[in-house]
């Protein structure tokens, strides 16, 4: 394909004015960033302009800052004498030939081609707890021959973490080469690691960068699950969460411990209420029995006092009567006779 493109370029006369045409393959919904060099290295340019496949164009007079224009962004880098063009969320109309213009001159006409659908890895979201293993596969030969990288961020402005030409170990991130690309393992995952990551490739000369796959990483609290999830690129492009059922045994999960403690507290509370109720019932019964016994004792004492009064007083009268009136008539008569 590139040979045919080169032949067509020579036949049409392209490249005679110094234009350099590149072919870049990209996927829909992904992003691409390419660089156009100054036509004259010793010249200064006040304006840059990019003409799109549909003949529309974007113009910018800003320098050394990103000029965002919807899905498109321009960066006029005066230090390196280049113009960087970024396109996010690629659509069908974005594929075709681009032309970079510096004032009245031009230097590059890159061609962005759509990568076959079956070779594009669809974006996916995965939830992990303690660790993850991300697989970046590169379906095209040109991708494999370029510099493969793994970055974090939004679209083409994402910051590289690992690459096949640079760091293969960066903190908790580790890159391992495979026959189809590379794997990235992440250890000790925390909530700070949640975000959007990209697998991508950069040309050897650095003239373009393109995304291969988007990975949205969600981190779940390890206290609610004990699984370590692997990010499998062959899985469907749907959100999925892999969890292991709570661990049972002496240790148990925190949720099980909380439930057990709550049950024990409830049982202890029931026991305390039962004991308190029993004590109250016993005290009330003892009090009633005491009052009844006191009443019986009072009644008994009242009856006893009443019987003593009724018996003693007549007895005293009887004694007095016996003393005043002797029952011996002979003695009484004998005394009378003597006195006479």
């Amino acid at each position: 394909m590139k040979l045919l493109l080169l032949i067509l370029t020579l036949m049409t006369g392209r490249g005679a004015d110094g234009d350099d045409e590149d072919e870049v393959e990209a996927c829909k919904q992904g992003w691409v960033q390419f660089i156009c060099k100054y036509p004259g290295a010793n010249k200064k340019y006040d304006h840059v302009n990019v003409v799109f496949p549909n003949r529309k164009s974007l113009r910018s007079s800003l320098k050394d800052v990103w000029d965002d224009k919807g899905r498109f962004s321009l960066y006029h880098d005066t230090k390196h004498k280049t113009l960087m063009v970024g396109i996010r969320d690629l659509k069908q109309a974005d594929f075709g030939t681009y032309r970079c213009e510096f004032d009245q001159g031009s230097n590059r006409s890159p061609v962005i081609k759509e990568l076959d659908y079956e070779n594009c890895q669809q974006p996916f979201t995965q939830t992990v707890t303690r660790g993850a293993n991300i697989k970046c596969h590169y379906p095209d030969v040109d991708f494999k021959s370029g510099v493969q990288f793994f970055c974090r961020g939004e679209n083409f402005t994402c910051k590289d973490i690992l690459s096949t030409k640079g760091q293969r170990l960066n903190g908790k991130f580790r890159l391992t080469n495979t026959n189809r690309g590379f794997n990235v393992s992440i250890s000790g995952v925390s909530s700070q690691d949640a975000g959007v990551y990209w697998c991508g490739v950069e040309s050897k000369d650095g003239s373009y960068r393109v995304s291969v796959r988007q990975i949205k990483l969600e981190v779940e609290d390890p206290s609610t699950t004990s699984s370590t999830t692997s990010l499998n690129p062959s899985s469907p492009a749907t959100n999925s969460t892999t969890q292991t059922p709570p661990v049972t045994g002496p240790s148990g999960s925190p949720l099980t411990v909380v439930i057990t403690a709550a049950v024990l507290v409830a049982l202890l509370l029931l026991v305390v209420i039962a004991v308190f109720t029993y004590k109250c019932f016993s005290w009330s019964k003892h009090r009633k029995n005491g009052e009844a016994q006191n009443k019986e004792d009072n009644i008994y004492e009242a009856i006893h006092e009443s019987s003593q009064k009724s018996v003693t007083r007549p007895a005293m009268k009887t004694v007095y009567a016996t003393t005043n009136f002797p029952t011996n008539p002979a003695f009484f008569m004998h005394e009378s006779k003597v006195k006479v």
Side-chain angles (χ1 to χ4, degrees), residues 41-246:
N42 296 325
K43 294 183 179 181
K44 292 183 179 180
Y45 301 96
D46 295 327
H47 300 90
V48 292
N49 189 56
V50 177
V51 181
F52 294 88
N54 57 4
R55 303 289 182 174
K56 293 182 179 180
S57 63
L58 289 179
R59 183 181 179 88
S60 176
S61 59
L62 299 180
K63 297 180 181 180
D64 301 316
V65 293
W66 280 106
D67 188 3
D68 293 329
K69 300 178 182 296
R71 294 187 300 111
F72 305 91
S73 298
L74 306 179
Y75 190 97
H76 185 183
D77 189 344
T78 59
K79 181 179 179 180
H80 297 92
K81 302 181 184 303
T82 59
L83 169 64
M84 287 187 289
V85 181
I87 309 172
R88 61 177 64 88
D89 190 19
L90 285 165
K91 302 182 183 302
Q92 186 65 46
D94 298 328
F95 297 103
T97 301
Y98 290 75
R99 177 173 290 276
C100 298
E101 298 178 344
F102 299 83
D103 291 343
Q104 299 300 321
S106 62
N107 187 33
R108 178 181 294 271
S109 300
V111 178
I112 301 179
K113 299 189 66 177
E114 181 181 2
L115 187 65
D116 293 338
Y117 179 80
E118 58 269 16
N119 291 327
C120 291
Q121 300 181 51
Q122 298 302 307
F124 77 108
T125 301
Q126 191 72 33
T127 302
V128 299
T129 53
R130 295 182 178 87
N133 183 30
I134 301 173
K135 298 180 180 180
C136 293
H137 293 168
Y138 293 83
D140 192 87
V141 177
D142 291 338
F143 283 178
K144 294 180 181 180
S145 62
V147 178
Q148 302 166 11
F149 64 84
F150 180 76
C151 65
R152 177 180 181 178
E154 294 298 330
N155 304 309
F156 53 84
T157 59
C158 68
K159 182 179 180 180
D160 287 2
I161 300 175
L162 304 168
S163 72
T164 55
K165 76 170 183 179
Q167 286 184 307
R168 294 175 180 266
L169 178 62
N170 186 359
K172 63 178 68 178
F173 298 87
R174 180 186 295 273
L175 183 148
T176 305
N177 287 330
T178 64
N179 294 331
R180 302 181 61 186
F182 65 83
N183 292 344
V184 174
S185 60
I186 310 175
S187 61
V189 175
S190 66
S191 59
Q192 297 179 351
D193 298 318
V196 177
Y197 295 84
W198 296 89
C199 302
V201 66
E202 179 181 335
S203 63
K204 291 182 179 180
D205 61 357
S207 61
Y208 69 85
R209 287 162 60 93
V210 61
S211 68
V212 176
R213 192 176 199 187
Q214 181 197 72
I215 305 100
K216 185 177 181 181
L217 192 67
E218 295 180 349
V219 179
E220 190 175 66
D221 187 354
S223 63
T224 60
T225 179
S226 60
S227 64
T228 300
T229 307
S230 174
L231 304 189
N232 184 5
S234 62
S235 60
T238 57
N239 296 348
S240 61
T241 301
T242 303
Q243 296 184 358
T244 301

Side-chain angles (χ1 to χ4, degrees), residues 316-327:
M316 290 177 63
K317 291 181 180 181
T318 303
V319 171
Y320 292 153
T322 304
T323 304
N324 296 332
F325 299 98
T327 57

